[in-house]
Amino acid sequence: MKYEKVLHKNLETPGYTGSLADYERQGGYQAIRKALKEYAPTQLIDLVKRSGLRGRGGAGFPAGTKWDFLPKDPALTRYLCCNADESEPGTFKDRELIERDPHQLIEGMILAAYAIGAKVAYIYIRGEFVYGAQVLERALAEANRAGYLGKKILKSGTDIEIYLHRGAGAYICGEETALLESIEGKRGLPRNKPPFPAIHGLYGKPTVINNVETLSNLPHIVNRGVEWFTSIGSPPKSPGMRIFSVSGHVNRPGNYEVPMGITLRELIHEQAGGVLGNKKIKAIIPGGASAAFLTESSLDVKMDFESIAQVGSMLGSGGVTVMDEDTCMVSAALNLMEFFAHETCGKCSPCREGSSWLVQMMRRIEHGHGRMEDLDQLVRICNNIGGKTVCAFGDAEIAPILSTLKHWRSEYEYHIKEKKCLVGNRGGQLLTIGKH
Ligand SMILES: Cc1cc2nc3c(=O)[nH]c(=O)nc-3n(C[C@H](O)[C@H](O)[C@H](O)COP(=O)(O)O)c2cc1C
């Protein structure tokens, strides 16, 4: 099925370059004009609350509600940060939005900054996105020259500056409080919460952090209204469109913008062109490497926050990785565990120590030196990490092992008993997406 594109509309328009002139020709920067004229900042917060827009970075927290947590005292300095770290393996949607339609994001940020009263905003971009950073620098300069940014934007009484901050390439810096530490020039380690960033964020000031895709939705919500937004997707809890990055054993890997709530089957078989070589699907990761693996029996699950949670996984960052029947589940889980062990920031002992123990045991099993008692030991270590760390990294890193053990324990047992793999050994190759 074909769907009307919203966030991808411009970049699917022939000849669209992402320049300011192209963006304006497509109706760009009308939303901020409208907002400045028609909405006081509190009314804009209310509009976004009523739209039900939920964060697209991972946790799915309602954006307007998050904004409303900020203290009301207008004299307090506050900040907006755009999370453009996009470090979740299998996820590449924000990168495309940045590279091909930077002004859509910038307009979304101006709207968010206006709503929360932030005069200064930052885009924290993953260090490896060199081209994306160049595109954004160019677009920010254009927006400044045209009066969309700077002092008294569009001749209103509102000042908004946006700065680009390049990370050095660390998965943990996508976690919102580590991101704040990194902007402050410190090592990217997550902070204890509470206090939450809404109260004590960047430089100790009230701060909102939102994902690229979340912010890119805002111009459309302002232009087209709450009724339109709540009529698409999977309302009432998961309205709107969603961009899924589909990768792995599919014929057409790529980013697909579809209404929230289409089934995994439609996403994989219709949008992404089905499975390579017409093979059967063995496993699907529905929301980035931190999301639990699902089996083929979940193909008819709706891709919205609630439905995916009901089958024991999460929509997360929208990175969908498809694995065919020949994929070794032990190898796939080991591959992701190696990524997490490499990226642990080391702040919390369960994660720092546990991640390397898990890798050692998984390698042992994968290479035919495992022991049956290792399987229960893996679960014990995972349970001593999950929920016991400062940030959600701990919960993320145990998802691949726990879910593959739940659904494919027999494959682990086969590795241990037969000292070889039941299928090929392609899980490792398949999942080398992300930072290594
Ligand atoms: C280890 C870890 C890595 C994360 N990486 C990202 C990331 O790369 N991009 C992102 O938008 N959110 C990431 N998040 C989620 C952020 O902490 C935060 O929830 C999000 O940026 C909020 O924006 P949203 O409400 O618009 O989704 C990560 C979280 C954790 C625990």
Side-chain angles (χ1 to χ4, degrees), residues 55-57 66 83 85-87 174-176 209-211 214 392:
R56 307 309 202 221
K66 190 193 291 198
N83 192 340
D85 196 59
E86 194 161 63
S87 41
E175 193 282 332
E176 57 185 15
I209 300 128
N210 274 133
N211 167 265
T214 314

Side-chain angles (χ1 to χ4, degrees), residues 38 77 110 140 210 254 256 273 282 303 328 334:
E38 293 180 17
T77 300
I110 297 171
L140 287 171
N210 274 133
Y256 294 94
K282 185 182 210 171
M303 291 294 276
C328 168
L334 166 62

Side-chain angles (χ1 to χ4, degrees), residues 107-122:
E107 187 176 14
M109 288 186 69
I110 297 171
L111 287 164
Y114 170 65
I116 65 167
K119 291 187 187 337
V120 176
Y122 292 89

Side-chain angles (χ1 to χ4, degrees), residues 165-199:
H165 185 106
R166 291 187 59 204
Y171 175 64
I172 194 60
C173 287
E175 193 282 332
E176 57 185 15
T177 59
L179 179 153
L180 297 179
E181 291 283 293
S182 180
I183 295 181
E184 289 181 11
K186 299 182 220 144
R187 189 170 155 193
L189 300 178
R191 297 176 180 170
N192 289 332
K193 290 190 263 189
F196 289 92
I199 307 297

Side-chain angles (χ1 to χ4, degrees), residues 317-380:
S317 61
V320 177
T321 306
V322 178
M323 286 161 261
D324 73 15
E325 55 194 315
D326 296 335
T327 311
C328 168
M329 289 296 112
V330 178
S331 168
L334 166 62
N335 182 281
L336 290 178
M337 198 56 236
E338 284 177 333
F339 167 80
F340 286 118
H342 182 261
E343 293 294 333
T344 177
C345 75
K347 177 164 178 158
C348 311
S349 334
C351 176
R352 182 185 62 240
E353 303 300 323
S355 57
S356 52
W357 296 344
L358 289 173
V359 164
Q360 281 173 37
M361 292 177 68
M362 289 292 292
R363 280 192 187 139
R364 198 155 78 203
I365 296 168
E366 166 70 2
H367 297 300
H369 307 296
R371 301 173 297 226
M372 245 356 139
E373 57 270 29
D374 284 348
L375 300 185
D376 290 338
Q377 181 72 348
L378 281 175
V379 175
R380 266 195 300 276

